[in-house]
Amino acid sequence: MSLSLRSARVTRALVRSSLLVALAAIPLTLAEAQVSEEERFRRYLEQQERQFSSFMSAQDSAFANFLDRDWRAMQSFAASQGYTAPKPRTLPRRTPTPAPRPAPPTPTGRPTTPATPRPTPANTPPGNTPPATTPPANTPPVPTAPPDNVVANIPALPPMPPRRVAGTPGNRPAPLALIPPAARPLPARPVDPSLLPPEPAPTPTPRPAAPAQTLSVPFYGGPIPLRYTRSPLPALGSPVDGKAIADFYRGLASADWGVLAEDLRAQSEALALDDYAYAQFVLRLGRQLAGDESRARLLTWYLLLKSNVDARVGYIGPNGATAQMPAGSIVLLVPSTVMVYNTTYFTLQNEKFFAVSLDEAPSPDGIGRLFTYDGNYPGQPRKMDMRIARTPNLGVAPEKRTLRWSYRDTTHTIEISADRNAVKYLEWFPQVEWDVWFGIQMSQPARETLLPQLRRRLQGRSEREQVNFLIRFVQTAFEYKTDGDQFGREKPLSVDETLLYPFSDCEDRSILFAALVRELTGLEVVGLLYPGHMATAVKFREQVSGDAVMIGGQRYVVSDPTYIGADVGEAMPQFKTVTPQIVRIP
């Protein structure tokens, strides 16, 4: 055998041997390749998640750096005491005008004075006297209207701003500026090529994302579900100071919000949350996620900033600590579109920032001194809108109540319902300007049960008698007690609150009466604010005499739902010469 032939056979044998070895190794090599590819992809995903977690916008980074250093001690100011004048402990009652005494009988034998003949109207034929009008049996006489008296003459008031409806863009938080993961830009830092899946190998099926958990946020009438994959709340350093808050902000700004941001936005729109309701909602979300009040309030601050509200936070230092507000306590501060009374505020950049408690009693000792920052979040943040057009879309909790009152010797009894959740929602709403309280609409249960029963009883009556009927209903269907006696604090009541709380006072009755007159008669109403008292005045379409105020040349007849027994046109004697402050109703 020639050397060349042997070499060829050896070569073929080596080739066959190599092929057999290679074929035998193919399953192991493919398995190893598959494991390696999955491992690479897993490591790639983890790398992406780490880089997503470390992503922070330039403005968030700059703001966090600002928070690292720009904190200073601030002294608080006590806000104006909006409702301070003492109210009467008992209801004032109208003293009825005594009826004329009848003439004594004429003794027998004495001449009687002839009765003065009734004047005959000009259109009555001579010799024919018009018959006297005899009222129907059992019909009480309608009292004589009071004489005209202009209590005050007030110039025309500026036009009211457009009325806002809860949940509309005018007073709904701006969409959250939390960037969902799919919309985040890729990190600028290049990814290690060794972590990328090899090319052109087919991309394996990605491992499923972490299953979303469901968080239930308690919010007036039922838990509101929100999905999340992991809590965005970082730890809060100790002691609580500016550096700890800055680090907490960085953690929130770089967190993976995922479906939580989407659900928070969707639920805010579904519930028609305005600024005050939204702040309450995210505070309760924070309590569920964090389990502590400090991080919950810091989350509320962060989400208000992301909703374009100019919120601030402060922390209580060692020298400002009290039993109710220990060192490290977080205080939420907001500027308001309306004046907030009887609460602590701090002046920052010539703007009042009010310390709001949202859904709990404020500290009885107030807040004396805290540390906060004096700078704006990037952009053009706005004041918190504290005007409530109506309560949000809460879970309705109808509660029944029976009301009884008398009018012109006839007793009326009705059963109505109001919304207990609407009452709970406003329990700690701050003391704000009066037009806000007059503008809060009644709930659907109250609208559906109270208004139809009153409307039926108003049919066939004149405007004056309709308003008199409503004023007597408000005067006598509710028990009177001052806020101090009922709550231990000043607490104006909305319509639903007056319907469900056991007692009410003058401003609560004025708010209810104004709502009923506007709903059932369409007449315009204004509030009359006196020292220590609130009443109303109605602009009638027909001529109605009595005490009145002139506003821009228009006549508004005084109607006091707290002055028991008084009809329209009758002001309390002590206010007949007092010029009231006019409260416009939106």
Side-chain angles (χ1 to χ4, degrees):
M1 182 182 297
S2 65
L3 182 59
S4 59
L5 181 58
R6 188 184 302 113
S7 298
R9 289 177 176 176
V10 171
T11 302
R12 284 196 297 272
L14 291 174
V15 170
R16 282 197 301 271
S17 176
S18 299
L19 287 173
L20 289 173
V21 171
L23 289 173
I26 282 175
L28 181 60
T29 303
L30 290 178
E32 289 177 345
Q34 183 69 23
V35 170
S36 175
E37 186 175 313
E38 290 180 354
E39 178 64 17
R40 288 180 189 174
F41 194 74
R42 184 188 67 80
R43 293 168 62 194
Y44 165 72
L45 290 179
E46 290 180 351
Q47 175 76 358
Q48 292 295 293
E49 288 180 359
R50 284 195 298 270
Q51 292 189 342
F52 277 148
S53 296
S54 64
F55 171 76
M56 191 188 312
S57 72
Q59 70 177 20
D60 279 327
S61 179
F63 187 61
N65 292 337
F66 164 79
L67 293 176
D68 270 330
R69 60 185 185 275
D70 286 286
W71 294 78
R72 58 191 180 94
M74 298 287 294
Q75 185 62 42
S76 67
F77 297 90
S80 170
Q81 302 293 309
Y83 325 138
T84 56
K87 302 171 187 174
R89 301 293 294 273
T90 58
L91 273 174
R93 293 181 178 272
R94 174 183 176 272
T95 303
T97 303
R101 299 178 61 183
T106 304
T108 305
R110 270 182 83 178
T112 58
T113 304
T116 303
R118 292 174 56 186
T120 302
N123 59 353
T124 303
N128 293 332
T129 303
T133 302
T134 303
N138 301 322
T139 301
V142 177
T144 305
D148 280 342
N149 171 43
V150 176
V151 174
N153 200 329
I154 299 170
L157 300 175
M160 289 288 291
R163 185 171 186 173
R164 293 173 175 174
V165 177
T168 58
N171 63 341
R172 187 177 64 204
L176 287 176
L178 302 173
I179 306 174
R184 290 178 177 172
L186 288 176
R189 187 173 58 192
V191 179
D192 184 350
S194 66
L195 299 177
L196 295 174
E199 294 291 347
T203 303
T205 303
R207 63 187 178 95
Q213 307 174 64
T214 300
L215 182 73
S216 295
V217 180
F219 193 67
Y220 304 108
I224 306 300
L226 294 174
R227 298 171 300 157
Y228 73 106
T229 54
R230 60 177 60 85
S231 172
L233 293 187
L236 178 61
S238 181
V240 175
D241 56 15
K243 180 66 168 62
I245 294 174
D247 289 341
F248 189 85
Y249 182 92
R250 287 188 182 90
L252 289 174
S254 60
D256 184 359
W257 287 82
V259 292
L260 178 58
E262 299 168 8
D263 280 13
L264 185 56
R265 182 183 297 113
Q267 292 288 14
S268 297
E269 294 176 354
L271 295 171
L273 301 182
D274 53 27
D275 284 354
Y276 179 72
Y278 178 73
Q280 282 202 48
F281 185 67
V282 297
L283 175 62
R284 295 182 177 212
L285 165 64
R287 288 171 181 156
Q288 292 296 101
L289 287 172
D292 66 84
E293 193 69 15
S294 292
R295 290 198 297 163
R297 290 192 173 272
L298 287 173
L299 175 67
T300 306
W301 161 62
Y302 177 80
L303 291 179
L304 286 175
L305 285 177
K306 292 296 181 178
S307 299
N308 205 36
V309 174
D310 189 13
R312 310 282 176 95
V313 287
Y315 67 90
I316 304 296
N319 295 333
T322 64
Q324 288 76 25
M325 300 286 289
S329 297
I330 298 296
V331 180
L332 182 65
L333 306 171
V334 295
S336 172
T337 54
V338 296
M339 183 62 185
V340 180
Y341 299 103
N342 200 31
T343 191
T344 302
Y345 72 89
F346 298 81
T347 301
L348 303 170
Q349 298 176 332
N350 297 320
E351 186 69 63
K352 292 179 179 178
F353 281 74
F354 298 95
V356 291
S357 58
L358 295 179
D359 64 351
E360 62 185 15
S363 170
D365 298 332
I367 302 169
R369 181 181 174 90
L370 57 65
F371 289 85
T372 187
Y373 60 92
D374 193 3
N376 291 325
Y377 181 75
Q380 294 182 325
R382 58 182 175 82
K383 295 180 181 180
M384 189 170 181
D385 193 344
M386 299 293 281
R387 295 184 180 274
I388 297 179
R390 65 175 177 85
T391 52
N393 296 334
L394 310 175
V396 178
E399 191 170 312
K400 294 182 179 180
R401 183 178 181 182
T402 300
L403 299 172
R404 294 182 180 87
W405 75 103
S406 295
Y407 182 70
R408 308 289 189 235
D409 297 332
T410 300
T411 300
H412 301 266
T413 302
I414 61 175
E415 186 177 83
I416 59 96
S417 293
D419 187 1
R420 177 58 67 179
N421 282 331
V423 172
K424 292 179 180 178
Y425 172 71
L426 293 170
E427 181 177 5
W428 294 108
F429 187 67
Q431 297 180 19
V432 293
E433 296 171 15
W434 284 114
D435 64 300
V436 176
W437 287 100
F438 275 97
I440 298 175
Q441 298 180 29
M442 69 182 73
S443 69
Q444 201 61 28
R447 183 176 298 278
E448 292 174 353
T449 59
L450 175 62
L451 296 184
Q453 297 187 77
L454 293 178
R455 185 175 285 113
R456 286 196 297 271
R457 288 167 168 81
L458 297 182
Q459 291 177 355
R461 302 178 188 267
S462 66
E463 276 187 358
R464 181 174 182 271
E465 278 298 288
Q466 287 180 347
V467 177
N468 269 335
F469 184 89
L470 295 176
I471 207 169
R472 195 73 77 248
F473 164 68
V474 179
Q475 285 173 350
T476 59
F478 304 91
E479 295 292 326
Y480 178 86
K481 188 175 282 189
T482 65
D483 292 333
D485 290 338
Q486 181 171 200
F487 300 108
R489 61 189 172 96
E490 276 299 322
K491 170 72 176 84
L493 302 183
S494 67
V495 171
D496 281 74
E497 290 177 299
T498 297
L499 294 177
L500 290 186
Y501 278 122
F503 306 102
S504 55
D505 64 9
C506 59
E507 71 268 8
D508 313 325
R509 293 160 181 250
S510 295
I511 291 168
L512 172 60
F513 173 72
L516 295 177
V517 171
R518 282 153 54 96
E519 289 279 357
L520 296 171
T521 71
L523 297 174
E524 186 179 339
V525 187
V526 296
L528 304 179
L529 183 59
Y530 298 100
H533 183 60
M534 174 78 78
T536 62
V538 179
K539 180 183 175 184
F540 287 90
R541 289 181 286 259
E542 63 186 29
Q543 182 62 35
V544 174
S545 60
D547 296 322
V549 293
M550 300 296 292
I551 305 175
Q554 302 293 314
R555 192 167 185 274
Y556 292 74
V557 181
V558 174
S559 306
D560 195 331
T562 308
Y563 189 20
I564 302 301
D567 287 338
V568 297
E570 294 184 300
M572 290 186 187
Q574 65 268 37
F575 298 124
K576 283 183 177 291
T577 58
V578 177
T579 300
Q581 177 183 334
I582 304 299
V583 180
R584 299 290 298 275
I585 302 177

